[in-house]
Amino acid sequence: MTKFKFFFLLLFPLSIFGQDFTFIKGYVKNSKNKPIENVSVSFNKTGTNTNADGFYQLRVPLNQEVTLVFTHISHQTLSKSFFLKRKSIVRFSPKLMLKIEQLEEIVIKDKTKSVSGVTKIDVDKAKNIVGPNSGVENVLMTLPGVNNNNELSTQYNVRGGNFDENLVYVNGIQVYRPYLIRSGQQEGLSFINTNMVQNINFSAGGFQARFGDRLSSVLDITYRKPSEETIQVDASFLGGSITYGNSYSDNKWSVLLGARYRDNSLFVNSKQVETNFRPVFSDVQSYISYELSDKFTFNFLGNLSINDYNYQPLTRKTRFGTVADPLELIVFYEGQEKDSYFTLFGALSGTYAINEDLSLTTTVSRYNTQEEEHFDIAASYRLGEVDSSLGSENFGEVEFSQGIGSQINHARNDLDALITNAEIRGTLKKEQSQWNFGVKFQKENIKDRIREWEVIDSLGFSIRPPGHTMNNQPYEPFEGEITPFQSIRTENSVDINRITAYAQYNKRSFWGNHEVWYNVGVRSHTWNVTGNGTTSESKMIISPRLQFAIKPDWEKDMLFRLSGGLYAQPPSYRELRDFNGNVNVNVEAQEAIHIVGGMDYSFQMWNRPFKLTSEVYYKSLSNLNAYSIDNVRIRYRADNVTEGYAYGLDLRLNGEFVPGSESWVSIGYLKTEENQDNRGYIARPTDQRLKFAILFQDYVPNLPDLKAYLNLVYNTGVPGGSPSYADVYQFQDRLRDYRRADLGVSYVFVDSNKQFKTGWLSKCKELTAGLELFNMFDIQNAITNTWVRDVYSKRQYGIPNFMTGRVLNFKMSMQF
């Protein structure tokens, strides 16, 4: 019987192949060669829809005339007839034209993302947005509930979470951020290459079970598959990039290559610290796809990144205090910092379409990061009172030094991390329902060496670290050893093994005349940690999740949704390491119960389409691993003795404030607090109460090719700026509010509607050039404080470390 089954399974594909039908497949695109999703492709009573890449595949009979009909709500209908006699696969890739007539009465709706609480972002917005880190992350920071007070960083906080609580996927593969980064100016390039992106989807909470185990958000990126040769070149004072895309062998092969270079000198030189700064941030990415047959597709995603950060501070002068009592800090530096971040990433995936309803994807990937953080910097400072008497001959000059001191910071930190994954996931569709399922194995190996210390000197006398007997020189002699104010010296070798699995069910149906969607899913995550010879017990967490949406059959276009579930975040290596560099292998998973309610209201204003999106959320947090943030460096307590909560409201109004150009306004309110070891509730480090942002696009009516982009953000201050050794319960001061406005003005020389037949511009498909003015009002935003002592009163002063000032940049973009 077993042999009979084996031969039956072996002969079954051959019997299918022997039947009288073949396949027609291809890509449906618009006049700008961009894919069109959800195009209906049908003949008789058989049909399918195009996916996000515009791809379709349809089985048709032989030896009879077949007429395919392509229909879409915003494009003209196209019909094409075929009479096929051979079983060879036919490729047909049409272009659909936009409907011109009565467009003012047509409102295009795509509910597939809205019902699941996903924000779909236009790729052109990510390419055109003005900002120090223009790209996908910069667009996210204009959304409500997404915050970052550091314009040099691409990291972001979502609804009270930190950077480590966000998931980022590229083509379904999780990507990671470096471990040893301390400041935004060290980061360099984000993994995401905007010129390679086709789709951007973002969820700020209550996301589905098919996404991984994080507490805050999911950013899901899809890279495009080019169907023709294109070359994209971008250049500015901040660096440049080149992207090449093409397809070969009748679209069986598609190749997408991107290379980028970034130089942050323009921003760092606008700060108050005079430096010799020589950064080299560069990367190369590739996305290669091959259709082996109509059922098999192979994809490769690769990345090589080299970030060398060479930093030599020279001097600093900062004035602070009040008008009546101004103070000035002058610092002279010696030494330098040399950091290196080398990253390799490769992922190979294969997709097998068993039939029109069932497909399986297998992925293997490996990520390796080698990081070095080496610095020896000596700083000598003078803290003085500034003469504020208007009639004085020395007005504005330092007349009296309150404090004189120095400090030496030393580090020889090295880290090597290797993360290997193997995953299989599948999709089963049946009429208006769909199953998603998958299982994944992941192995992490991290080797970490920390050699870090700081010596502080005040007026020639060494300052003892907290918890040690204080010296009172020169009044009393001190004969003890000189102890560094802070010192960490440890080596860690950690292995983490994980097995995750998920299954979810999606259904679209009707409740009377009301359209409803629901999603029910569950995730499991099993892991164990071995650190420095100690192995933890195997741990497991189960995460059920639920989504429900309803579109009432009302005259007004409204959609309501509710989502929630248990979200867990098993510890990564960074969360296992405490403030002193020691590893605790028994750290538990952090947990959060999400409840998210939302509404989308689409309407007409000024005879133009607008959409109001609102969400209210509550998160109950338990087993938290408390942390502190210094710039972008996160350090954990490596325990689970903290609980907390977060709640808030997000509002976004987007639409055509200017005809033909989409803009939006975002408003967010957040409150998040934590209770460490039953000491009482205090604000969490990400407690950013109010958020206001505008992303606005405009153009000159009589000169529509002259465009303007405004990116304005206001965030209230977060708790922070305390000394690294301070007790957070004793230090709850907040940093100043973050305010920033960036303006970009560009002129479109060539685009799809403006082509040249002669001259050098005829070689370009697109050409845009313009100026960008960053921090146009030259507002001083602070991200941390530098702490110095007054030797007489022994008082400590927190001197703000200001971010970048006003910077002018030239930018040019062209496509061939």
Side-chain angles (χ1 to χ4, degrees):
M1 188 65 181
T2 303
K3 293 182 179 179
F4 173 77
K5 291 181 179 179
F6 173 78
F7 283 111
F8 175 77
L9 293 174
L10 184 65
L11 294 175
F12 181 74
L14 297 178
S15 65
I16 294 296
F17 186 79
Q19 295 181 16
D20 293 332
F21 63 82
T22 186
F23 290 91
I24 300 177
K25 66 179 183 178
Y27 294 86
V28 182
K29 298 188 176 183
N30 59 22
S31 59
K32 296 182 179 180
N33 273 328
K34 292 186 177 180
I36 309 174
E37 188 177 2
N38 290 327
V39 175
S40 173
V41 185
S42 63
F43 80 94
N44 296 336
K45 296 182 179 180
T46 303
T48 185
N49 290 331
T50 58
N51 62 14
D53 298 324
F55 177 78
Y56 76 94
Q57 177 177 287
L58 199 61
R59 189 173 68 177
V60 298
L62 296 176
N63 300 315
Q64 61 176 287
E65 185 174 354
V66 173
T67 300
L68 296 190
V69 180
F70 298 81
T71 58
H72 190 266
I73 189 172
S74 60
H75 292 78
Q76 296 179 8
T77 299
L78 175 69
S79 299
K80 177 69 174 177
S81 297
F82 299 87
F83 192 90
L84 305 177
K85 297 181 179 181
R86 295 183 300 173
K87 296 180 181 179
S88 59
I89 296 172
V90 176
R91 297 177 183 270
F92 179 62
S93 298
K95 289 185 178 180
L96 301 187
M97 306 304 294
L98 279 171
K99 293 179 180 178
I100 303 299
E101 68 279 7
Q102 297 179 344
L103 270 182
E104 68 276 4
E105 297 180 6
I106 297 175
V107 179
I108 301 170
K109 308 177 182 70
D110 179 11
K111 303 297 182 184
T112 56
K113 302 299 181 185
S114 298
V115 297
S116 57
V118 171
T119 301
K120 186 173 183 178
I121 299 172
D122 186 358
V123 177
D124 289 336
K125 294 287 189 300
K127 293 180 179 179
N128 296 327
I129 188 172
V130 58
N133 279 299
S134 59
V136 175
E137 294 88 353
N138 206 12
V139 177
L140 295 183
M141 294 172 199
T142 66
L143 300 179
V146 183
N147 301 300
N148 184 5
N149 289 5
N150 188 339
E151 61 266 16
L152 292 181
S153 172
T154 58
Q155 308 301 322
Y156 49 90
N157 306 314
V158 179
R159 293 179 177 175
N162 66 28
F163 309 144
D164 293 332
E165 297 177 16
N166 304 315
L167 280 165
V168 180
Y169 291 96
V170 175
N171 287 15
I173 303 165
Q174 186 178 348
V175 297
Y176 306 89
R177 71 184 190 97
Y179 287 83
L180 298 182
I181 294 292
R182 289 174 182 255
S183 65
Q185 65 192 41
Q186 296 174 324
E187 274 192 22
L189 294 162
S190 162
F191 183 95
I192 302 168
N193 187 333
T194 307
N195 288 330
M196 299 175 68
V197 171
Q198 177 176 302
N199 293 315
I200 306 170
N201 296 312
F202 178 74
S203 174
F207 43 88
Q208 297 177 358
R210 64 189 177 96
F211 296 114
D213 299 290
R214 290 289 188 274
L215 296 184
S216 292
S217 73
V218 173
L219 176 61
D220 190 16
I221 301 293
T222 303
Y223 277 1
R224 58 189 173 91
K225 292 182 179 180
S227 59
E228 61 181 7
E229 185 178 30
T230 57
I231 301 176
Q232 176 82 33
V233 179
D234 294 338
S236 73
F237 293 153
L238 295 171
S241 68
I242 181 170
T243 307
Y244 174 80
N246 204 352
S247 62
Y248 306 92
S249 302
D250 196 17
N251 286 333
K252 285 189 174 183
W253 283 94
S254 68
V255 177
L256 190 61
L257 303 174
R260 297 180 294 174
Y261 172 81
R262 171 84 175 185
D263 185 345
N264 275 342
S265 299
L266 194 66
F267 288 116
V268 176
N269 291 336
S270 72
K271 292 187 173 185
Q272 295 182 340
V273 179
E274 183 181 349
T275 66
N276 288 328
F277 187 55
R278 299 179 303 278
V280 178
F281 302 145
S282 57
D283 80 341
V284 177
Q285 290 193 36
S286 65
Y287 178 51
I288 302 172
S289 180
Y290 174 61
E291 291 186 16
L292 181 63
S293 68
D294 60 314
K295 291 182 176 291
F296 285 99
T297 302
F298 291 100
N299 302 297
F300 174 77
L301 176 65
N303 172 266
L304 185 151
S305 174
I306 301 175
N307 294 339
D308 289 333
Y309 177 82
N310 299 319
Y311 180 73
Q312 184 180 9
L314 301 176
T315 61
R316 169 184 175 176
K317 181 183 291 188
T318 302
R319 287 195 174 179
F320 63 103
T322 63
V323 175
D325 186 21
L327 299 173
E328 182 176 85
L329 174 71
I330 301 175
V331 185
F332 297 93
Y333 296 95
E334 293 184 13
Q336 62 181 331
E337 178 175 356
K338 288 188 175 183
D339 302 334
S340 176
Y341 307 92
F342 178 78
T343 301
L344 278 172
F345 174 81
L348 180 65
S349 65
T351 299
Y352 176 46
I354 298 175
N355 52 47
E356 293 181 358
D357 299 325
L358 178 61
S359 64
L360 298 175
T361 299
T362 302
T363 303
V364 291
S365 66
R366 174 164 284 192
Y367 169 84
N368 177 234
T369 179
Q370 301 170 33
E371 305 176 17
E372 296 179 354
E373 183 186 46
H374 297 174
F375 56 80
D376 289 284
I377 297 178
S380 300
Y381 70 87
R382 185 182 69 176
L383 178 65
E385 297 179 358
V386 178
D387 189 346
S388 59
S389 301
L390 293 178
S392 172
E393 296 181 356
N394 299 320
F395 176 74
E397 298 181 3
V398 176
E399 61 178 359
F400 177 73
S401 293
Q402 288 186 340
I404 299 174
S406 62
Q407 66 185 51
I408 301 175
N409 289 278
H410 165 93
R412 294 293 185 271
N413 300 331
D414 301 284
L415 182 141
D416 190 329
L418 182 65
I419 302 176
T420 305
N421 293 288
E423 177 183 16
I424 183 170
R425 59 184 185 272
T427 300
L428 176 62
K429 299 179 180 179
K430 187 176 181 180
E431 297 178 351
Q432 299 297 325
S433 62
Q434 176 176 304
W435 283 93
N436 297 94
F437 53 90
V439 62
K440 175 181 175 182
F441 171 76
Q442 178 169 303
K443 182 176 180 60
E444 304 170 25
N445 175 260
I446 299 97
K447 291 181 171 54
D448 185 18
R449 188 191 73 163
I450 308 173
R451 299 288 187 272
E452 187 175 330
W453 51 261
E454 177 185 28
V455 173
I456 299 179
D457 174 275
S458 179
L459 206 63
F461 303 102
S462 175
I463 303 299
R464 303 272 291 167
H468 288 66
T469 303
M470 301 301 295
N471 53 336
N472 193 28
Q473 298 185 69
Y475 309 107
E476 297 178 8
F478 181 78
E479 299 179 354
E481 62 179 5
I482 296 178
T483 304
F485 191 75
Q486 296 184 79
S487 179
I488 301 175
R489 186 181 181 89
T490 186
E491 294 185 8
N492 297 318
S493 178
V494 175
D495 290 290
I496 307 174
N497 295 314
R498 307 179 190 271
I499 298 178
T500 59
Y502 71 89
Q504 68 177 40
Y505 176 71
N506 308 271
K507 177 73 174 180
R508 174 180 175 268
S509 61
F510 285 87
W511 183 13
N513 293 326
H514 309 305
E515 195 172 7
V516 297
W517 296 262
Y518 57 87
N519 174 286
V520 180
V522 63
R523 284 189 68 88
S524 69
H525 192 134
T526 305
W527 78 99
N528 74 295
V529 181
T530 301
N532 301 328
T534 302
T535 302
S536 69
E537 295 181 357
S538 182
K539 301 180 177 65
M540 183 177 183
I541 190 78
I542 302 294
S543 303
R545 304 174 189 182
L546 172 68
Q547 292 182 333
F548 175 80
I550 181 170
K551 186 183 185 307
D553 184 25
W554 296 345
E555 181 179 348
K556 292 186 177 181
D557 186 0
M558 304 184 76
L559 173 73
F560 300 90
R561 59 181 175 270
L562 180 67
S563 62
L566 174 63
Y567 293 78
Q569 181 167 318
S572 64
Y573 171 71
R574 189 184 285 109
E575 296 162 75
L576 296 172
R577 199 177 78 175
D578 66 13
F579 290 172
N580 296 317
N582 301 313
V583 169
N584 178 10
V585 299
N586 294 311
V587 173
E588 301 285 343
Q590 302 182 79
E591 298 179 13
I593 297 176
H594 287 204
I595 301 176
V596 182
M599 180 198 73
D600 293 346
Y601 175 38
S602 299
F603 59 96
Q604 291 281 321
M605 186 166 60
W606 307 315
N607 292 322
R608 297 192 291 272
F610 282 82
K611 182 178 180 180
L612 175 64
T613 301
S614 59
E615 285 193 338
V616 59
Y617 59 90
Y618 178 81
K619 294 193 283 189
S620 176
L621 310 173
S622 59
N623 272 359
L624 289 180
N625 191 348
Y627 58 88
S628 66
I629 301 178
D630 183 9
N631 202 308
V632 299
R633 187 191 191 191
I634 300 178
R635 297 195 302 170
Y636 289 89
R637 285 180 43 141
D639 58 30
N640 298 100
V641 298
T642 304
E643 60 182 14
Y645 65 86
Y647 64 82
L649 172 67
D650 289 344
L651 299 172
R652 184 169 75 110
L653 175 65
N654 67 294
E656 295 184 11
F657 292 90
V658 176
S661 297
E662 184 189 16
S663 304
W664 62 66
V665 178
S666 299
I667 300 175
Y669 172 79
L670 162 72
K671 183 177 181 180
T672 180
E673 292 186 325
E674 64 185 15
N675 179 4
Q676 296 184 15
D677 205 13
N678 292 321
R679 296 179 64 187
Y681 279 94
I682 58 173
R684 303 195 76 198
T686 54
D687 183 36
Q688 197 134 42
R689 292 296 172 89
L690 293 176
K691 159 74 176 281
F692 177 77
I694 295 177
L695 180 62
F696 189 78
Q697 299 183 67
D698 200 356
Y699 57 87
V700 179
N702 296 327
L703 192 61
D705 291 327
L706 183 60
K707 302 179 184 296
Y709 302 89
L710 175 65
N711 183 7
L712 187 150
V713 175
Y714 169 78
N715 297 326
T716 54
V718 294
S722 65
S724 58
Y725 53 85
D727 183 353
V728 292
Y729 277 83
Q730 302 297 323
F731 195 104
Q732 274 288 294
D733 290 348
R734 291 178 178 261
L735 296 168
R736 60 178 65 186
D737 295 351
Y738 182 85
R739 298 160 294 165
R740 185 178 181 88
D742 299 322
L743 175 67
V745 179
S746 63
Y747 185 81
V748 179
F749 293 92
V750 183
D751 64 7
S752 59
N753 299 318
K754 186 180 179 182
Q755 296 288 320
F756 293 83
K757 296 182 179 179
T758 60
W760 66 275
L761 288 178
S762 63
K763 300 179 181 179
C764 297
K765 295 179 181 178
E766 296 180 6
L767 176 59
T768 304
L771 296 174
E772 297 177 322
L773 184 61
F774 303 124
N775 195 4
M776 57 186 295
F777 300 119
D778 200 23
I779 298 173
Q780 290 184 322
N781 294 306
I783 188 65
T784 57
N785 290 325
T786 295
W787 290 89
V788 298
R789 292 170 175 264
D790 177 350
V791 69
Y792 298 101
S793 66
K794 297 185 179 179
R795 177 183 176 186
Q796 294 191 73
Y797 292 88
I799 292 87
N801 296 318
F802 294 118
M803 298 300 296
T804 61
R806 184 188 294 118
V807 173
L808 183 65
N809 180 45
F810 171 78
K811 183 178 181 181
M812 180 178 65
S813 177
M814 62 185 73
Q815 185 180 109
F816 304 99

